[in-house]
Amino acid sequence: MIKYCNDCKREYPEDQKRCPICGGKLEKWLTEQERIDKENDDFTVINTLLP
């Protein structure tokens, strides 16, 4: 997972809490593979719960 500063439009490592340039709070962003894995997990749960 990466973190992203909406003000500076830059990516930072997961362990950073604030942007070193502007001091803004960083948001968590999933990488493309993490997003795909999460979607697959969600579909698995839905398919398991529905008859």
Side-chain angles (χ1 to χ4, degrees):
M1 183 180 318
I2 57 172
K3 290 195 174 178
Y4 186 78
C5 178
N6 282 325
D7 297 328
C8 297
K9 309 295 186 230
R10 294 185 183 196
E11 296 177 0
Y12 294 98
E14 183 177 354
D15 60 344
Q16 294 240 199
K17 294 186 183 204
R18 296 238 173 233
C19 176
I21 296 173
C22 71
K25 188 174 180 183
L26 300 176
E27 294 184 25
K28 292 180 181 178
W29 277 31
L30 297 177
T31 63
E32 185 66 22
Q33 186 60 48
E34 289 169 330
R35 187 185 61 75
I36 291 169
D37 291 344
K38 183 178 181 330
E39 286 177 4
N40 288 340
D41 288 346
D42 292 346
F43 286 128
T44 301
V45 169
I46 291 170
N47 288 331
T48 302
L49 294 174
L50 294 176

